[in-house]
Amino acid sequence: LFGISFQIADDIEDSMAGKEEIVSKFFGIETLISWYEEMKLEAKNILKTLPEPIPFFNEVFDLLEKKVMQT
C-alpha cells in the first residue's frame, strides 16, 4: 500500500505539472486523488497495528501529502 500510495501521488504530481501519465488520462485526476486517500487510510490503519510506531512511514506520508495538496 505504501508503494501504491507513492505511485499515485507521483502520478498526481506529474499530471498537475502537465506530464500526464496513461493512468491519469484514463481515470482522471479526481479518481487518482480518491485512490490516494483510500490507500493512505488503509496504510495508516496498518501502521496502527504495529507494536511500535515507525516514524519513517509518517514522514513519507507527510511528503506525499505535500505532492497531492499541490493539486
Side-chain angles (χ1 to χ4, degrees):
L1 293 175
F2 300 103
I4 295 170
S5 298
F6 179 84
Q7 186 59 55
I8 293 171
D10 191 56
D11 287 347
I12 291 168
E13 183 180 46
D14 287 348
S15 179
M16 298 313 295
K19 299 182 283 181
E20 284 191 299
E21 301 290 328
I22 292 172
V23 174
S24 61
K25 285 181 182 179
F26 189 76
F27 292 105
I29 192 75
E30 294 83 15
T31 300
L32 290 179
I33 292 170
S34 176
W35 286 350
Y36 168 77
E37 292 296 331
E38 288 176 33
M39 293 296 112
K40 178 182 76 173
L41 181 61
E42 287 186 46
K44 286 189 171 194
N45 285 335
I46 290 170
L47 286 175
K48 290 178 187 176
T49 67
L50 299 176
E52 292 185 35
I54 302 175
F56 169 77
F57 288 116
N58 289 323
E59 293 171 14
V60 169
F61 277 113
D62 289 344
L63 292 172
L64 293 178
E65 199 69 20
K66 288 178 186 176
K67 284 185 171 202
V68 173
M69 295 307 292
Q70 292 175 3
T71 59

